Amino acid sequence: WSADALHGGAVSSLLTTVAEAHDPDRVPFDARVTVELLSPVPLAPMRIEVTTLRPGRVVEWVGVRLFDGRERQVAYATVLRVGGGTVDTADAASPVVVPPPPPPDGDPDFPFGGGVTGFWDANDVRLVRGSWLEAGPGAAWFRLRCPVVAGMPVTPAARVAAHADFG
């Protein structure tokens, strides 16, 4: 980790947001997002490209590439979009998953990350099972505290992408 580089969650969420905004009416649902971090992504102005890799009415692939100020590609994502009807997922999880308890009230209590602008400022993480300081299973609620792109709503897929790199 570096104060000069972005966390993988920020990059993943940005690439997902840009992919979702690209021609969103044709195929509406992001079924899979794959992000490749090719080198540290600088905390600096960058350029982004988005293209439809494979157009379709039911299945579509979108590609997003991120370049640093020297025009080096630092990350890319491929997004699989699918359309169609509603899928019944009732009784689809096995074994039965017990939902975590609701997030606690009050301020998050982090034993690390204080005073450093970055992940801990952009996210509200509420631990509800396990411990920050002991190995073992745990559960937490995550919430973005800020938009991914100014003026654009944060979508559910962008929220998942922002936190998928945390584990």
Side-chain angles (χ1 to χ4, degrees):
W1 290 10
S2 166
D4 299 326
L6 294 171
H7 181 274
V11 177
S12 298
S13 190
L14 172 65
L15 298 176
T16 300
T17 298
V18 170
E20 285 189 298
H22 177 71
D23 201 10
D25 296 327
R26 190 166 51 219
V27 182
F29 181 75
D30 294 341
R32 182 172 70 203
V33 176
T34 304
V35 175
E36 300 294 338
L37 302 172
L38 304 174
S39 64
V41 178
L43 183 58
M46 289 179 278
R47 183 176 67 81
I48 199 160
E49 288 180 359
V50 59
T51 59
T52 301
L53 301 172
R54 182 199 178 276
R57 289 177 292 133
V58 178
V59 175
E60 176 173 83
W61 285 95
V62 174
V64 186
R65 299 177 355 147
L66 186 62
F67 299 87
D68 68 10
R70 295 187 296 192
E71 287 300 307
R72 293 178 306 166
Q73 185 176 344
V74 293
Y76 71 91
T78 52
V79 178
L80 170 64
R81 291 179 175 173
V82 297
T86 303
V87 176
D88 181 9
T89 60
D91 301 322
S94 177
V96 173
V97 177
V98 177
D105 292 332
D107 292 329
D109 182 25
F110 300 122
F112 40 82
V116 177
T117 299
F119 183 86
W120 300 111
D121 294 323
N123 296 280
D124 180 358
V125 183
R126 305 294 177 114
L127 191 64
V128 294
R129 286 192 193 128
S131 169
W132 289 113
L133 303 175
E134 296 176 20
W141 289 94
F142 286 76
R143 183 181 62 85
L144 282 174
R145 293 181 175 172
C146 58
V148 177
V149 176
M152 294 179 71
V154 180
T155 66
R159 290 179 193 282
V160 169
H163 298 112
D165 185 63
F166 180 73

